[in-house]
Amino acid sequence: MIPAHPGLAGGPVYLDYNSTTPVDPRVVEAMRPYLADWFGNPSSDHTYAAEPKAALHRARTQVAELIGAETGEIVFTGPGSEGNNLALRGAVLAAKVDRPHVITQVTEHPAVLETCRALERLHGIEVTYLPVDSDGLVDPAALASGLTPSTVVVSVMAANNETGALQPISDLARITRAHGALFHCDAAQATGKIPLDVRHLGVDLLTVVGHKMYAPKGVSALYLRHGVTLEPLLYGGGQEHGLRAGTENVALGVALGTAAQLAAADLASGGPERVAGLRDRLHASLVEALRGRVHLNGPVEPRLPNTLNISIDGVRGHELLAAVPEIAASTGSACHSGTRTPSPVLHVMGLDDARSLGALRLSTGRWTTAHDIDRAAEALITAVRKGLA
């Protein structure tokens, strides 16, 4: 039985799970003792360290089990952006290549894109940014043709945070590793929403992010395949396999481990099918009521089960959301000095500005109900019909 969430009581319908998830009350309870009672430094050798040290090991194992890894292949980091930085910067600086080459793709999260740009600027590396098709997917053939003898790492996300598009990771990783390069996958949006197995995917590095799977913000983990060498991101006392110095945050580690265990149970009990049903119920309601005006952005499949990105003809996404305060959701556009700019993701997929500016991202999650979906659909339909957007 999933406990009710106090943070959602009496508020708007929350359809922004891809932005962040409410911390599961069971996660809060699991981490509480390591804030209030078990304060010891897990790297110490006395009694006060024993339970924190054991708790970190259990948490590492829980994360590993969710993604099919071994306990010793999990490195705890801070935010997911840090995990991505460690993977990319670490691989580049550890490479024995005169001018390392990195490959990524144009709809990656800024945590990857900006890291690549910084590596270009500060270390003179070469970066190839692969294009995507109209569904936002990378063509494995494009990757194969982009690899060079100097390629050290390829980074492609598992699932797009705006459209939910699922990239062909196993194909991309197989091509990359056959060439002798490392493959990194930012799995922030995918972990816990769909089954992931690092062995099946064939990846060398994979980022798991806590606040996308009902753990607190500020904790994530990097899967590091045995035998892969990275330059540390933080230097110091040698914690986290020598890759991230600093006394470990046991409470956050426990939170991520507990969230991973809950996610595994949710995957096994039909969680993805439930949220997909709610997503499709919302989509169907909007299509039926606003005939010919609703357009899906991104693929029907392969797609995250919880993600619906749509544009409605004649409507700007930010104006529509402003007209329906009873819904909390996102658009892909950004506001700069009072002017809206279209989503870069939708732009490179070939969508025109009107459709991009009309986009809404509606993402369901653990506490979404059929009543929520019907309430949200009614509010959106009413606002569009009244011309409030």
Side-chain angles (χ1 to χ4, degrees):
M1 181 69 178
I2 299 175
H5 199 287
L8 296 171
V13 175
Y14 190 71
L15 294 177
D16 207 17
Y17 281 84
N18 281 14
S19 174
T20 196
T21 55
V23 181
D24 194 299
R26 295 167 291 184
V27 171
V28 174
E29 288 307 308
M31 67 186 294
R32 193 185 304 277
Y34 301 94
L35 294 170
D37 302 319
W38 298 107
F39 64 87
N41 186 329
S43 297
S44 298
D45 293 325
H46 49 64
T47 300
Y48 289 102
E51 176 53 30
K53 184 182 299 183
L56 268 184
H57 181 79
R58 287 194 300 270
R60 215 179 295 275
T61 299
Q62 289 167 323
V63 174
E65 289 177 345
L66 177 63
I67 60 173
E70 296 179 16
T71 301
E73 295 176 311
I74 300 301
V75 177
F76 287 124
T77 62
S81 296
E82 183 187 315
N84 289 337
N85 272 258
L86 174 58
L88 295 176
R89 178 184 173 279
V92 165
L93 296 187
K96 296 177 173 59
V97 178
D98 287 340
R99 191 184 181 196
H101 175 230
V102 174
I103 299 178
T104 186
Q105 52 96 21
V106 291
T107 63
E108 281 294 312
H109 190 277
V112 168
L113 294 176
E114 291 305 319
T115 300
C116 288
R117 289 170 186 139
L119 289 168
E120 286 180 289
R121 185 176 70 253
L122 299 175
H123 297 282
I125 75 163
E126 181 183 357
V127 181
T128 296
Y129 299 89
L130 299 175
V132 295
D133 64 17
S134 59
D135 283 332
L137 301 176
V138 172
D139 182 354
L143 171 61
S145 64
L147 290 161
T148 76
S150 297
T151 305
V152 296
V153 62
V154 173
S155 182
V156 177
M157 62 178 17
N160 185 267
N161 49 298
E162 290 190 33
T163 66
L166 297 175
Q167 298 287 357
I169 296 300
S170 57
D171 292 339
L172 299 173
R174 183 176 63 252
I175 292 167
T176 300
R177 293 183 64 181
H179 191 79
L182 298 175
F183 190 91
H184 166 253
C185 179
D186 177 355
Q189 289 294 342
T191 310
K193 295 175 185 171
I194 59 173
L196 291 177
D197 187 299
V198 292
R199 309 298 180 201
H200 174 72
L201 292 174
V203 300
D204 301 288
L205 301 149
L206 182 138
T207 307
V208 173
V209 178
H211 81 101
K212 305 295 187 182
M213 50 184 280
Y214 309 98
K217 301 165 185 65
V219 62
S220 52
L222 180 67
Y223 158 73
L224 175 70
R225 181 177 60 80
H226 285 309
V228 173
T229 300
L230 299 179
E231 180 68 17
L233 189 62
L234 294 175
Y235 305 99
Q239 292 89 347
E240 296 302 316
H241 310 304
L243 294 174
R244 186 184 192 265
T247 302
E248 303 92 337
N249 190 319
V250 179
L252 285 181
V254 167
L256 185 59
T258 303
Q261 186 176 49
L262 293 173
D266 189 58
L267 288 168
S269 62
E273 293 77 15
R274 188 188 76 84
V275 295
L278 294 170
R279 174 202 68 187
D280 294 343
R281 179 180 181 134
L282 178 57
H283 191 193
S285 295
L286 296 173
V287 167
E288 181 178 359
L290 305 171
R291 291 189 180 276
R293 297 182 64 183
V294 179
H295 307 281
L296 179 68
N297 301 321
V300 175
E301 295 293 343
R303 179 172 46 137
L304 286 175
N306 79 316
T307 305
L308 177 65
N309 191 306
I310 57 168
S311 296
I312 302 173
D313 288 342
V315 171
R316 289 198 169 197
H318 69 281
E319 293 174 351
L320 178 54
L321 289 183
V324 285
E326 57 265 57
I327 299 172
S330 291
T331 70
S333 66
C335 186
H336 302 283
S337 301
T339 301
R340 285 276 162 178
T341 57
S343 156
V345 169
L346 300 183
H347 176 73
V348 297
M349 288 167 53
L351 276 63
D352 60 36
D353 285 357
R355 184 158 161 184
S356 296
L357 288 169
L360 295 177
R361 183 188 66 186
L362 306 162
S363 49
T364 59
R366 187 167 289 172
W367 283 277
T368 310
T369 66
H371 175 71
D372 291 334
I373 293 299
D374 294 343
R375 180 182 164 199
E378 180 181 4
L380 290 168
I381 293 163
T382 299
V384 171
R385 285 176 171 169
K386 286 183 176 180
L388 294 179

